[in-house]
């Protein structure tokens, strides 16, 4: 199958002379699957259209935000009418109060929330807050967890960093990561050991309650509960990074789905409805440490931007309507189970993980429960799968270590077409 990628290729050539690597975020460059990235012209529902006129069923969904697909008319209308009233004021608006109240009502552990402009900013601010509140410096994170690109969190991070093979970023002074302790995901004994060793100097434990940035890895039974117990016993702030899972795996996020409450929660992606937004929130006692009510400084010119807030409010309203999460669960299962089954019957070696509408098919025989088991995947096979699917009009993440996201706009026919293409690809994989 030969698609024409001529215009994408010429744009990428030009972009590489103007933008580092030709992209504004590394994973977009297709480095871990090889080949050249496609440039997108537009999106509608479950579909994206590139600049050469090729069409794709999109399972990246802008890395999570597009839970209602591309250009949903209700979200477009909300943004348009907000824009007509002015883009930004640098002063408070009523809509910010509306969204804050919706988040507080939705997310079980959140009493107060601060809006920011990205997930990175939310996490960076939550870490500062945890350190300011506890007057301790050390943080614990998990191997393969990605929490944005801020300095102290770029030690053994996952996502783009993992597949580019850079355990740490250049330009991060070692003394900014010395206080970051990294532990294998799902290993509660290793957490206990680290906490015993550093008892009174650990400010927080941060994790993705369902990992999404080493591919999808669910928490083992008891893992989240164990962390909650360790944090409570040792006065450590437990932070759930729900930038992906918030409003994705349940309306109240992973904390609602698994019934374990963190002290602080970071959010992003879905709450901006496709516009740049992040948020961090949690227990009132801790949140009151944030300036201007408290001593932990954090600010933002475009924080609570009216367009992003309008998109967020409309998205949350739509998510609250009955049946949305059942539909996402069903469609997520149809895709993930279907892919795993297609791989199995073609004799391909693969192992699927899924929580709700986020899933990953790992090209490995092993159960994937942490970063090192994820890394047993055959990334060359993934790259083959990725390109053969792309040629057939199905856009999966250009890396093995990412999630496939399903939106409400992915139809049963979209998913059946995807599975039929995948069966084809697994058959050719066997022959190649
Ligand atoms: C995407 C992501 C971030 C960073 O959010 P940005 O908006 O890209 O800065 C942080 N944490 C998790 C879990 C993410 O998936």
């Amino acid at each position: 199958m030969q698609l024409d990628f001529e215009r994408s290729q010429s744009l990428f050539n030009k972009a590489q002379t103007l933008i580092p690597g030709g992209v504004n975020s590394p994973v977009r460059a297709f480095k871990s699957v090889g080949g050249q990235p496609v440039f997108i012209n537009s999106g509608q529902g479950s579909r994206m259209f590139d600049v050469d006129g090729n069409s794709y069923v999109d399972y990246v969904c802008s890395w999570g935000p597009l839970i209602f697909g591309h250009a949903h008319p209700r979200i477009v209308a909300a943004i348009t009418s907000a824009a007509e009233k002015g883009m930004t004021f640098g002063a408070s608006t009523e809509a910010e109060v509306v969204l804050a109240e919706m988040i507080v009502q939705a997310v079980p552990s959140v009493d107060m929330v601060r809006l920011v402009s990205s997930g990175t900013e939310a996490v960076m601010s939550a870490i500062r807050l945890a350190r300011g509140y506890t007057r301790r410096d050390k943080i614990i994170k998990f191997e393969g967890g990605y929490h944005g690109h801020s300095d102290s969190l770029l030690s053994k991070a996952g996502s783009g960093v993992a597949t580019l093979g850079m355990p740490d970023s250049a330009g991060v002074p070692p003394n900014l990561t010395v206080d970051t302790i990294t532990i294998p995901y799902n290993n509660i004994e290793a957490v206990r050991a680290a906490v015993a060793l550093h008892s009174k100097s650990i400010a927080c434990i941060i994790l993705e309650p369902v990992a999404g940035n080493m591919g999808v890895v669910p928490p083992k039974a008891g893992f989240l509960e164990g962390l909650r117990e360790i944090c409570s016993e040792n006065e450590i702030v437990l932070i759930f990074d729900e930038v992906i899972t918030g409003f994705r795996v349940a309306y109240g996020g992973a904390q609602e789905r698994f019934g374990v409450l963190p002290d602080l929660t970071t959010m992003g992606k879905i709450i901006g409805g496709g516009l740049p937004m992040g948020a961090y929130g949690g227990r009132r006692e801790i949140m009151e440490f944030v300036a201007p009510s408290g001593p932990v400084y954090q600010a933002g010119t475009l924080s609570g931007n009216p367009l992003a807030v309008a998109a967020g409010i409309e998205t949350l309203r739509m998510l609250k309507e009955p049946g949305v999460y059942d539909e996402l669960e069903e469609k997520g299962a149809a895709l993930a189970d279907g892919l795993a089954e297609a791989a199995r019957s073609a004799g391909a070696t693969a192992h699927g993980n899924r929580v709700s509408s986020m899933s990953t098919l790992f090209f490995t025989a092993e159960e994937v429960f942490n970063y090192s088991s994820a890394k047993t995947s055959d990334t060359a096979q993934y790259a083959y799968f990725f390109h053969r699917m792309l040629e057939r009009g199905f856009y999966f993440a250009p890396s093995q270590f990412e999630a496939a996201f399903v939106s409400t706009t992915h139809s049963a026919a979209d998913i059946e077409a995807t599975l039929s293409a995948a069966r084809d690809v697994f058959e050719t994989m066997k022959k190649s």
Side-chain angles (χ1 to χ4, degrees), residues 118-120 123 146-148 208 213 241 243-244 269:
S118 71
T120 294
V123 175
Y146 178 68
H147 305 290
E208 299 172 72
N213 288 289
D241 182 349
V243 170
I244 288 181
K269 298 193 170 118

